[in-house]
Amino acid sequence: MSHVVEIATKVRDPLAVRAGCHRLGLGAPVEGEFKLFSQTVRGLAVQLNQWRYPVVFDTAAGNVQYDNYEGRWGDPLQLDTFLQAYAVEKAKLEARKQGYSVSEQSLPDGSIKLTVGAGGAA
């Protein structure tokens, strides 16, 4: 039996943020206060490649704050790629916590297929 799940990403898990950074070869996320051009925000920051300012996650609310000046200071595709990595890592962490195995497959359209099965961590 097959189930298709669409996931709307709220970033709430610092461990999955760290795993997403590792997956993409980014530096480790940093907790603190960060200046985004005209305002200062607090949260868990990730520095995306070639972005002027970090992306800052409020993991309590699940929200993301950033200033990429409509793409001039950072390619939105980088953020989309990070959110995809976060969602994949979060799903894998949760499946493994419950004793399921997980395998993944990159698809030609850029999406990632996760297969969750009974029988221990993979």
Side-chain angles (χ1 to χ4, degrees):
M1 178 167 31
S2 177
H3 299 273
V4 175
V5 178
E6 184 173 321
I7 299 172
T9 307
K10 288 274 193 181
V11 177
R12 295 181 187 269
D13 185 340
L15 290 177
V17 170
R18 182 174 296 280
C21 288
H22 181 74
R23 179 187 184 97
L24 298 175
L26 301 173
V30 178
E31 183 74 38
E33 197 169 90
F34 302 91
K35 177 117 173 103
L36 304 179
F37 187 66
S38 62
Q39 67 180 35
T40 300
V41 297
R42 182 159 191 72
L44 185 62
V46 171
Q47 185 62 56
L48 299 175
N49 291 330
Q50 299 181 345
W51 275 53
R52 180 175 290 186
Y53 299 103
V55 175
V56 182
F57 298 100
D58 175 352
T59 55
N63 297 329
V64 58
Q65 295 179 290
Y66 61 90
D67 187 348
N68 71 344
Y69 193 32
E70 299 175 354
R72 294 183 191 117
W73 295 343
D75 183 352
L77 183 58
Q78 295 268 332
L79 179 56
D80 293 344
T81 300
F82 178 79
L83 292 174
Q84 179 188 48
Y86 171 83
V88 167
E89 294 300 329
K90 178 65 176 167
K92 288 167 57 177
L93 285 169
E94 292 302 320
R96 288 179 178 145
K97 275 185 200 172
Q98 297 179 31
Y100 295 107
S101 63
V102 181
S103 63
E104 67 177 83
Q105 177 185 4
S106 296
L107 301 178
D109 67 357
S111 62
I112 298 171
K113 177 182 176 183
L114 291 179
T115 303
V116 178

